[in-house]
Amino acid sequence: MSKLFEMKEEYKLGIPHIDEQHAKLFEIGDRAYQLLKNTYSNDKYDKIIEILEELKSYTIIHFRDEEEYMESINYKKMFSQKIEHAKFIGEINNVDLNKIDHNQDEYIMEILNFLAKWLAEHIIEKDLMIVGK
C-alpha cells in the first residue's frame, strides 16, 4: 500500500525519542489516509474518533517530552513552540463530532490536510531549529 504520511530523513532531529515520536505521528496520519482509501467501509465514524483520540493523547505526550527537552537545553524559542503546541491541541479539542458523521470522507480529508500541513511545517520550520538545522 502506498503511504501518504512517511517519516523522511529530512524530518529527523537526531534526538532518538523525539524522532520516534514524530514517526508515530506520521503513522497515525497514514492510518487516517488508509481509512479514507478503504472503499469497503461505509461507516468510518468510530475509526475516525479512534484516530482523533489517539492523535490527541499521543501529541500531549509528545509535546510534553519535546518541551522537556527544549527546557533541558535552555532553548530560546520554547515559548513560541508551546503556543504552537497549544494551538494544535485546541484544533483537535474543537472537532465537531456531528460534522464528522455528516460527511466522513470529507472530514478524514480535513484531518489529513491539517496533519500533513502541521507535521511538515512544524517539524521543518520549528522543530529542526531546536537542534540548529
Side-chain angles (χ1 to χ4, degrees):
M1 271 189 196
S2 63
K3 284 189 168 190
L4 179 68
F5 287 83
E6 193 171 356
M7 181 70 174
K8 297 178 183 166
E9 200 59 38
E10 64 259 31
Y11 298 141
K12 293 186 177 177
L13 278 66
I15 305 164
H17 74 285
I18 300 295
D19 288 337
E20 287 168 20
Q21 290 175 354
H22 285 161
K24 174 73 174 178
L25 292 171
F26 278 99
E27 187 239 297
I28 293 168
D30 190 60
R31 271 192 280 129
Y33 176 60
Q34 297 305 327
L35 181 61
L36 175 68
K37 287 178 46 179
N38 183 345
T39 57
Y40 300 107
S41 178
N42 291 330
D43 189 0
K44 301 174 182 178
Y45 182 84
D46 289 342
K47 288 283 186 196
I48 296 169
I49 298 300
E50 188 179 297
I51 288 169
L52 283 172
E53 286 301 317
E54 182 179 7
L55 185 60
K56 181 168 52 173
S57 63
Y58 197 78
T59 52
I60 289 170
I61 292 165
H62 167 63
F63 292 158
R64 181 202 64 213
D65 289 353
E66 200 172 77
E67 289 168 9
E68 283 175 4
Y69 178 79
M70 286 186 281
E71 196 171 323
S72 77
I73 63 165
N74 294 318
Y75 183 61
K76 304 224 179 313
K77 296 184 179 183
M78 187 169 136
F79 184 71
S80 64
Q81 279 273 48
K82 281 185 164 193
I83 291 170
E84 293 281 324
H85 293 168
K87 280 184 195 176
F88 182 94
I89 298 296
E91 286 284 330
I92 300 296
N93 283 335
N94 289 325
V95 168
D96 182 349
L97 301 181
N98 292 322
K99 187 178 177 187
I100 294 172
D101 207 24
H102 178 68
N103 190 337
Q104 296 175 4
D105 283 347
E106 182 181 312
Y107 196 77
I108 295 170
M109 277 305 299
E110 283 185 33
I111 294 169
L112 290 172
N113 288 333
F114 169 69
L115 194 53
K117 187 175 190 292
W118 167 266
L119 285 172
E121 287 182 7
H122 187 77
I123 291 172
I124 290 173
E125 295 176 9
K126 305 284 192 234
D127 288 351
L128 287 174
M129 290 174 62
I130 297 169
V131 294
K133 288 188 179 179

